[in-house]
Amino acid sequence: PDFTGASPYDAPAGLHLNPASLAAPPAGRWGNAGRNSINGPAQFVLNASMGRTFRSTERISLDLRIEATNALNRVTYPSWSTVAGSAQFGLPLFANPMRSVQAVIRMRF
């Protein structure tokens, strides 16, 4: 596509990108927008884990481990639709997975 000179980040309400910033080039010509000229959305994800070892005897111990991915359960979007002229331009394509918690108990001897 061609850049029109409008900022791609001055988006109208409900969109993440400004559709007026890109236009289809004339037939038979490549557009002037460079590769990776639109930055993706900012992301913040917190993963956490806790572990503890309980010793019962000299030879036997129990390990307890709890792991959480996306512990804050915050919605993040990895990419936007950037197809010029599309009705979905400037909207997120999909969301990253929600929180996941896993607990593991292991006996070692």
Side-chain angles (χ1 to χ4, degrees), residues 1-8 20-23 31-34 37-38:
D2 280 333
F3 264 118
T4 61
S7 172
S21 65
L22 296 176
N32 63 4
S37 57
I38 295 178

Side-chain angles (χ1 to χ4, degrees), residues 52-65:
R52 174 81 195 256
T53 300
F54 300 97
R55 298 194 189 278
S56 61
T57 65
E58 204 174 285
R59 294 185 51 208
I60 298 174
S61 63
L62 288 173
D63 292 337
L64 172 64
R65 183 166 180 84

Side-chain angles (χ1 to χ4, degrees), residues 11 14-19 80-83 86-92:
L15 296 176
H16 294 277
L17 295 174
N18 184 4
W80 293 319
S81 175
T82 56
V83 178
S86 170
Q88 284 84 28
F89 181 85
L91 295 175

Side-chain angles (χ1 to χ4, degrees), residues 9 26 28 36-37 56 77 80 99-100:
Y9 306 109
N36 297 329
S37 57
S56 61
Y77 303 104
W80 293 319
R99 178 184 321 154
S100 173

Side-chain angles (χ1 to χ4, degrees), residues 66-84:
I66 299 172
E67 299 176 348
T69 57
N70 194 7
L72 302 177
N73 207 25
R74 183 178 170 170
V75 177
T76 55
Y77 303 104
S79 62
W80 293 319
S81 175
T82 56
V83 178

